Amino acid sequence: MTMLNQYGFAGHDMYRSYLLPTSDKLTDRVDYLCCGSIISRHIVLTAAHCALAKTATHKITNVRVGEYDSKQDLDCTSGFCAKKSQDLPINYIIVHPGYDTKTFRHNIALLILKENMEYSYTQSKQQQVSMPIRSLDLCNLLYGSSVPITENQLCVGGEIGKDACSGFGGAPLVILDPNYKDKYFQIGIMSFGSVNCGSSGEPSVYSRVDKYADWIMANSPRIV
């Protein structure tokens, strides 16, 4: 197991995952295929493969924030009901110019929303899992023959039953700041993993956020 010697890019509510819906033009069905993290009231950080996800009938059109249970209109627990989730349209997408669809290199993107989101209280019960940061050599051994692993990535997980599987592409990987209680820093963005998700010795690969801090700042219109 290795430890990072510096923190990644920090922002608002970055430890919470949000849904990136795709719409089906033929059936009007909405699917939630990826996640992202909020870095300002109108910017969501996610993976490039999520931002570009589309087929002949599907494409990402908006971002849903504040969701807890997608099967209910209102999320209530212990006598408290949170505000209704928000579906916010995407204005435009910025994908890292070096993104490679075959190797997942520079797998990072920004979703710029048409309007600001409204922050509200979020329940403490979130989908979350603690995973160890591994040596890049392990991921290079597993994936390197077809997908070269670089210093711009992190190798994470590899424990039974603990992983970010299908539907969690673009999800944030965070660490707790030891100097501040309940303050987290995002250090990674879920990129890709093994087909045997959650298997022992088969970690996943994340884009390393601190390597892209300058790119994020340079391409974020007026971070609020």
Side-chain angles (χ1 to χ4, degrees):
M1 185 185 303
T2 59
M3 296 296 294
L4 291 178
N5 57 16
Q6 58 181 313
Y7 294 125
F9 185 82
H12 299 289
D13 289 356
M14 298 189 77
Y15 54 94
R16 295 170 184 154
S17 296
Y18 292 87
L19 303 173
L20 309 183
T22 62
S23 61
D24 188 321
K25 295 179 181 178
L26 299 180
T27 65
D28 291 328
R29 187 184 70 190
V30 175
D31 296 318
Y32 300 97
L33 303 180
C34 278
C35 296
S37 53
I38 294 172
I39 61 173
S40 87
R41 289 188 179 274
H42 65 291
I43 303 174
V44 172
L45 179 66
T46 188
H49 79 265
C50 291
L52 297 176
K54 59 183 177 181
T55 64
T57 57
H58 286 75
K59 70 174 183 177
I60 291 177
T61 57
N62 54 51
V63 171
R64 171 164 289 189
V65 299
E67 185 63 273
Y68 178 73
D69 185 347
S70 60
K71 295 180 180 179
Q72 300 185 55
D73 288 335
L74 288 178
D75 297 325
C76 300
T77 182
S78 301
F80 173 83
C81 291
K83 291 183 179 180
K84 190 174 181 179
S85 60
Q86 306 167 63
D87 288 321
L88 303 173
I90 296 172
N91 189 13
Y92 59 94
I93 296 171
I94 302 174
V95 174
H96 193 285
Y99 172 58
D100 189 318
T101 58
K102 295 181 179 179
T103 65
F104 295 100
R105 185 165 295 182
H106 306 304
N107 193 6
I108 183 172
L110 298 171
L111 307 180
I112 313 302
L113 307 181
K114 289 184 178 180
E115 56 191 77
N116 287 348
M117 64 187 76
E118 295 296 327
Y119 294 141
S120 63
Y121 174 81
T122 302
Q123 302 173 58
S124 60
K125 185 178 180 182
Q126 297 283 318
Q127 287 186 309
Q128 54 186 302
V129 62
S130 296
M131 299 180 294
I133 299 174
R134 307 289 189 180
S135 167
L136 286 178
D137 292 339
L138 176 57
C139 280
N140 206 37
L141 179 65
L142 291 171
Y143 309 114
S145 60
S146 57
V147 184
I149 305 301
T150 74
E151 293 295 326
N152 289 346
Q153 295 167 312
L154 293 169
C155 185
V156 181
E159 296 182 333
I160 296 177
K162 294 183 178 182
D163 208 340
C165 300
S166 178
F168 283 89
L173 175 70
V174 301
I175 55 175
L176 179 64
D177 186 335
N179 299 315
Y180 298 92
K181 182 180 179 181
D182 296 331
K183 185 174 182 179
Y184 291 80
F185 285 84
Q186 181 171 356
I187 61 172
I189 302 169
M190 176 59 189
S191 183
F192 70 92
S194 168
V195 293
N196 303 312
C197 184
S199 297
S200 178
E202 298 188 31
S204 294
V205 177
Y206 290 70
S207 297
R208 182 168 171 167
V209 175
D210 65 312
K211 298 291 187 178
Y212 297 97
D214 290 342
W215 180 85
I216 293 171
M217 294 296 295
N219 289 278
S220 296
R222 193 171 175 268
I223 287 185
V224 180

